[in-house]
Amino acid sequence: MRVTQQMLTQGSLTHMNESLERLYALERQVASGKRFEYPSDAPAIAAQSLTIKASMSAMEAYIETGHTSQAWMESTEFASQHLADAALKAKNALLQGRNDTMGAEERAVLAQEMDGILKSAMDLVNTQHLNRYIFAGYATRTKPFEIIPAGSGVPPTTADTIQYNGDHNIMMRNISPDETIAMNVDGDAAFRPLLEALILARDALNSNDTTAMDTALADMDTAEEALTDAMTKNGARVRTLSDAMSRMDMGLLELKALLSKKEDIDMAEAVSNLKMQENAYQIVLQVSGRMSSMMNLFDKI
Amino acid sequence: MPGAFSGINMIMQALMAQQEAMQVVGHNVANANTPGYRRQEAILTASHPRANFTFMGSILPGQFGTGVLVDRIKRYDTEFIDQRYCFELGENKRWATEADFLNQVEMALADTGSESLAKRLNDFWGGWQSLSTSPDDLTIRQDTLERSKAVADSFNRRASALNKLRGEQDLTIRERVDEINELATQLARLNVEITHVESTNHQPNDLLDERDKILNRLSEISGAKAAFQQFGQVVVSIGGHTLVIGSRAFEVTATPDPANGNLVGVGWQDGEPFSPVAGELKGLMESRDGVVVDQLNRLNTMAISFMDRINAIHITGYDLNNVPGQALYTGTDALSMRINTTLTAENLAAASVTNAPGDGTIAKLINDVQRETLVGLNNMTLGDYNNLRIGDLGLTVKRSTSQAADHKTVMDALDQQRDSVSGVNLDEEATKMLAYQKSYQAATRMMTALDEMLDRVINNMGVVGR
């Protein structure tokens, strides 16, 4: 083949350019730590990594809201636990009062105690979590329980009554794409029997009425059942939620690893490739330099 | 028997021929690095011989040579390589232009960055997921509203960037069209000149170089094809329509096309559509009206499906003040999509019933849209549709880049082959220079010898006894 001066210069130029281009691409990879910058660098991997990122983002959202639900349910657990304690205390007091050796005055003292228990129970059923009433169904801004004093209403009531201002809706929350969980308990169903039993017990102690005390005792048992039922359900949900969340945490970790495998370069490999390309470029430069400074016949004659 | 003076004449011709050959060597050396230059060579040939005389009834040996002549100045041309080179050049430029442009599109869409549309959508879903859990939390409501706005912004920015890029292509297209017309005029003029020179039996070598350079550039811009005719005339056509024939050039026009958003439409003066098969213009027009429009359409489809679906769910809900939900978004496409500006954080309709600040049913339904396959999106989810859009663009860019590289490889190989035939090799020129120089020196020596011979005859003959 006949070789001409232009072929030589053109060839060196092309090779220098190509070598520099490869060097630049590798340098960019090492600097960014990523295997691609634009989708066209690796279309298939880019699409996969976007899908992974979407799943991760959804999972992160579930984990975040999971924490919110968890805090809510822990407040529920806390309040019901204390209500259960109160119920136990009330039952003991009532049993003590029911004792035939008790006189009216002693029973009145116990009624006082019962009233105190009722007051603290009212506080508990109106528990707020982050300024929201947790036992009011959807009506989180409405104070759910109220005591309507005896003698109000038409016809006037003979005893204090419990009024529930919330609704009976159950808040369903997604804890994963296909899994929902009830976050709240129906306050009315869970706590009204207890509150009513407490009122009845207090009034019975006050009025020294042993028949009413027996009724109150039976009511108290029913109320405890309702309370326990709500607590058990809530506890089971807390466990389900925390299981789901730890599953999600693990899933997120796996996705992160997968994403890194798709997106991140193997630094050791990339750096050694870069080093190799640097050497290659040096050699191209040397050869090109030698070629362009090479003499031709004109220099010799 | 030749006369004594014919020898002088012959040597003089030889001197002139060597000088001319030397001139051609000089021309080659001077243009060793001129792009598009084809090396030339003085073709030396022995001039017509002469029969000898009959002398005293006998035929003397003959014929006598009469020296050397420059027959013609040969141009090393490589027509068949040129044609293939032009084809590859046109294809290379088409794909390279497209790749360059699509790289800009990719940058403008920024689909893998932290500000990507996919990220904004993910944030949106996350926002509504949070809202579904804490529908009565004003901070979360505000955050969700901001995230919803960010989606609209994200669509807007991309649509307007794509429109802007399309507009920028217009300027380049106009410039290229002007250049075609300029080159066509030059070519028509060259056709006339070349024919003129050839008809006088000369070689218009440098004019041919200039012509080939123009043909190259025309292929580069528009994939123009050339057909060679008698007397060095060339007929050039682009996409089946004649651009130059003989001394006539047809004009290409670029006028704003109202049907295409006032972007320029390219056509022939006679009203025919201009449809290049390769070259920069093909790349420019294909990406401007093909790939970018496709991306815009897909963004619009996404924006519309998204808005329709979200709005449809949102208006079935109730906000914190028990007012029925309004449309979350207004607008008809990716560019005009806006968040409903009358909405405040309290107006987000998370609840499905009134008087239920703790109800996040609607927010949950909106969050569920990310997993819904939408009819408007060919039964794909928004995320999948977006990924497909990004993947397709990536593949198109990759295809353009590798096509450009492939054609460049062939082009470079052809260029080398051509250069191998028609390029200047300085060693070769130096050798020729030496040869012609030595010949010239020898001829002058010969001239001196002849001079001395004649001197003998003229001044020293017949002087016996003088």
Side-chain angles (χ1 to χ4, degrees):
Chain A
M1 191 182 187
R2 189 170 164 273
V3 177
T4 69
Q5 257 61 35
Q6 276 207 34
M7 279 162 79
L8 289 179
T9 45
Q10 204 57 50
S12 330
L13 254 173
T14 311
H15 289 134
M16 277 193 280
N17 252 333
E18 276 173 4
S19 189
L20 199 58
E21 218 173 295
R22 277 197 291 272
L23 193 63
Y24 177 61
L26 283 169
E27 247 169 21
R28 247 179 21 178
Q29 275 194 358
V30 171
S32 68
K34 297 280 173 219
R35 279 165 67 181
F36 58 90
E37 193 171 353
Y38 294 107
S40 61
D41 296 340
I45 298 177
Q48 284 170 0
S49 94
L50 284 171
T51 312
I52 295 172
K53 275 184 192 159
S55 313
M56 280 172 67
S57 166
M59 272 194 186
E60 275 161 4
Y62 284 125
I63 291 173
E64 194 192 312
T65 54
H67 284 301
T68 314
S69 307
Q70 212 169 26
W72 179 288
M73 285 151 92
E74 273 160 11
S75 297
T76 305
E77 201 167 20
F78 178 86
S80 354
Q81 193 62 54
H82 279 78
L83 278 168
D85 290 350
L88 195 68
K89 230 158 80 188
K91 206 170 150 188
N92 282 339
L94 190 57
L95 279 171
Q96 201 185 342
R98 176 66 187 81
N99 202 323
D100 288 339
T101 56
M102 283 288 180
E105 265 175 42
E106 288 157 309
R107 283 185 174 142
V109 174
L110 284 172
Q112 286 276 318
E113 191 188 334
M114 199 62 86
D115 195 50
I117 292 172
L118 176 64
K119 293 262 160 54
S120 72
M122 282 306 285
D123 275 350
L124 286 168
V125 294
N126 286 330
T127 297
Q128 276 182 301
H129 172 67
L130 302 173
N131 279 334
R132 286 170 291 172
Y133 291 103
I134 59 175
F135 296 123
Y138 282 169
T140 53
R141 295 181 158 189
T142 314
K143 195 174 184 175
F145 290 96
E146 228 180 311
I147 296 178
I148 308 293
S152 57
V154 188
T157 46
T158 51
D160 289 358
T161 49
I162 296 295
Q163 181 175 313
Y164 178 67
N165 298 320
D167 55 42
H168 299 275
N169 286 311
I170 296 298
M171 297 168 163
M172 299 305 288
R173 298 294 185 240
N174 270 49
I175 55 170
S176 73
D178 316 304
E179 220 176 330
T180 50
I181 196 171
M183 185 169 81
N184 64 330
V185 297
D186 181 350
D188 195 25
F191 307 132
R192 183 195 279 272
L194 176 66
L195 296 176
E196 279 172 356
L198 284 174
I199 290 173
L200 186 62
R202 181 196 65 190
D203 292 353
L205 284 168
N206 255 337
S207 58
N208 206 8
D209 178 351
T210 50
T211 328
M213 274 181 232
D214 284 340
T215 322
L217 233 121
D219 282 1
M220 203 73 86
D221 283 340
T222 328
E224 266 190 320
E225 264 169 42
L227 189 60
T228 316
D229 184 47
M231 275 173 70
T232 320
K233 276 185 188 157
N234 190 56
R237 287 177 202 150
V238 169
R239 273 194 302 282
T240 313
L241 180 62
S242 86
D243 281 356
M245 279 172 66
S246 61
R247 215 167 48 231
M248 213 102 68
D249 272 332
M250 263 165 62
L252 195 60
L253 221 60
E254 268 168 33
L255 283 180
K256 265 184 193 154
L258 190 62
L259 185 68
S260 158
K261 218 157 114 189
K262 298 268 178 213
E263 277 193 345
D264 298 345
I265 51 162
D266 178 347
M267 211 30 115
E269 193 189 325
V271 169
S272 83
N273 281 345
L274 181 65
K275 199 79 215 149
M276 253 155 60
Q277 189 54 43
E278 267 173 23
N279 289 338
Y281 184 58
Q282 293 286 351
I283 292 166
V284 171
L285 280 184
Q286 262 183 25
V287 170
S288 300
R290 209 177 293 168
M291 210 120 89
S292 52
S293 68
M294 201 164 56
M295 287 188 287
N296 59 48
L297 195 50
F298 280 107
D299 300 315
K300 297 285 182 191
I301 53 176
Chain B
M1 181 123 180
F5 286 102
S6 72
I8 288 189
N9 222 7
M10 178 175 78
I11 295 306
M12 196 195 73
Q13 256 187 31
L15 286 176
M16 278 167 61
Q18 304 305 329
Q19 248 178 20
E20 277 172 30
M22 194 70 116
Q23 171 106 19
V24 176
V25 170
H27 191 44
N28 280 342
V29 172
N31 286 299
N33 289 315
T34 309
Y37 178 76
R38 308 269 176 274
R39 84 181 148 117
Q40 298 175 12
E41 192 180 357
I43 304 295
L44 297 178
T45 177
S47 54
H48 200 69
R50 213 168 45 204
N52 212 340
F53 304 104
T54 325
F55 185 62
M56 297 169 77
S58 60
I59 297 169
L60 295 175
Q63 302 168 301
F64 271 103
T66 57
V68 69
L69 272 178
V70 175
D71 181 52
R72 65 197 164 94
I73 314 290
K74 180 185 175 181
R75 170 176 179 263
Y76 279 81
D77 103 28
T78 45
E79 212 169 85
F80 70 101
I81 298 182
D82 285 351
Q83 297 227 353
R84 278 167 59 205
Y85 179 79
C86 278
F87 171 77
E88 294 297 335
L89 183 64
E91 288 292 320
N92 165 261
K93 282 294 162 183
R94 168 197 170 178
W95 293 110
T97 310
E98 195 170 307
D100 278 356
F101 179 52
L102 293 182
N103 273 325
Q104 291 181 50
V105 172
E106 225 179 13
M107 256 179 247
L109 287 173
D111 280 320
T112 41
S114 53
E115 302 296 309
S116 69
L117 180 58
K119 173 81 169 54
R120 290 278 167 267
L121 279 172
N122 290 343
D123 287 351
F124 177 86
W125 307 127
W128 285 89
Q129 163 71 13
S130 294
L131 188 61
S132 79
T133 316
S134 314
D136 42 8
D137 186 327
L138 271 179
T139 327
I140 286 181
R141 280 178 166 267
Q142 193 59 48
D143 183 46
T144 307
L145 185 65
E146 290 300 325
R147 288 176 186 217
S148 306
K149 185 172 178 298
V151 172
D153 289 348
S154 201
F155 271 114
N156 297 160
R157 202 168 51 241
R158 280 167 180 79
S160 86
L162 288 184
N163 279 328
K164 201 160 152 250
L165 277 172
R166 288 191 78 201
E168 281 167 10
Q169 292 309 294
D170 252 34
L171 198 65
T172 323
I173 291 180
R174 277 172 193 277
E175 280 171 10
R176 294 292 176 274
V177 167
D178 287 348
E179 203 180 340
I180 289 182
N181 288 328
E182 171 71 27
L183 291 171
T185 320
Q186 282 181 32
L187 197 58
R189 211 182 53 230
L190 272 172
N191 260 345
V192 176
E193 271 185 69
I194 288 171
T195 312
H196 176 71
V197 176
E198 290 225 338
S199 61
T200 56
N201 241 342
H202 283 122
Q203 273 75 46
N205 292 338
D206 295 321
L207 294 179
L208 291 176
D209 282 355
E210 203 184 325
R211 184 196 70 187
D212 286 354
K213 259 197 302 201
I214 292 178
L215 290 178
N216 266 357
R217 183 63 189 141
L218 278 173
S219 310
E220 216 171 75
I221 301 175
S222 61
K225 279 204 173 68
F228 297 96
Q229 296 188 317
Q230 238 188 337
F231 295 121
Q233 291 243 348
V234 66
V235 176
V236 180
S237 62
I238 299 174
H241 190 292
T242 311
L243 177 70
V244 175
I245 179 164
S247 61
R248 185 154 177 221
F250 292 85
E251 203 185 322
V252 184
T253 57
T255 42
D257 179 5
N260 194 12
N262 271 332
L263 297 172
V264 290
V266 185
W268 293 95
Q269 201 179 13
D270 57 19
E272 293 290 317
F274 178 85
S275 42
V277 284
E280 289 173 19
L281 275 175
K282 170 84 173 169
L284 285 170
M285 287 159 81
E286 206 169 56
S287 41
R288 187 192 72 174
D289 298 335
V291 185
V292 181
V293 172
D294 176 56
Q295 286 288 316
L296 258 178
N297 285 342
R298 293 207 208 182
L299 279 179
N300 285 337
T301 310
M302 254 182 92
I304 292 166
S305 295
F306 176 76
M307 282 191 285
D308 284 356
R309 190 73 192 109
I310 301 296
N311 283 345
I313 297 174
H314 194 252
I315 56 172
T316 61
Y318 294 93
D319 69 7
L320 268 191
N321 308 323
N322 297 325
V323 178
Q326 310 166 43
L328 190 59
Y329 292 107
T330 60
T332 50
D333 56 19
L335 192 62
S336 63
M337 176 179 183
R338 299 279 183 280
I339 188 105
N340 186 344
T341 43
T342 58
L343 291 181
T344 63
E346 293 197 348
N347 296 129
L348 292 182
S352 58
V353 289
T354 52
N355 287 320
D359 178 14
T361 312
I362 295 297
K364 178 179 159 329
L365 282 178
I366 288 181
N367 176 50
D368 284 344
V369 171
Q370 64 176 306
R371 282 178 293 276
E372 276 177 27
T373 57
L374 301 176
V375 179
L377 303 179
N378 298 329
N379 291 318
M380 274 182 261
T381 64
L382 277 156
D384 286 348
Y385 190 84
N386 191 38
N387 284 353
L388 188 67
R389 173 184 69 75
I390 295 164
D392 279 356
L393 179 63
L395 283 172
T396 314
V397 176
K398 206 177 161 136
R399 188 194 61 188
S400 305
T401 316
S402 62
Q403 283 274 17
D406 288 353
H407 285 288
K408 179 145 176 29
T409 313
V410 181
M411 201 175 95
D412 285 348
L414 285 171
D415 197 29
Q416 278 205 352
Q417 268 184 36
R418 183 171 64 177
D419 214 35
S420 173
V421 175
S422 63
V424 176
N425 177 318
L426 288 176
D427 296 337
E428 197 178 299
E429 300 303 326
T431 315
K432 280 193 201 153
M433 181 191 78
L434 278 182
Y436 296 139
Q437 190 189 4
K438 295 288 179 218
S439 276
Y440 188 87
Q441 282 170 356
T444 50
R445 183 63 54 84
M446 186 78 195
M447 187 68 104
T448 316
L450 282 172
D451 180 40
E452 277 176 13
M453 277 162 73
L454 281 171
D455 181 50
R456 174 75 48 188
V457 172
I458 293 165
N459 295 322
N460 298 327
M461 226 160 86
V463 290
V464 178
R466 186 184 279 180

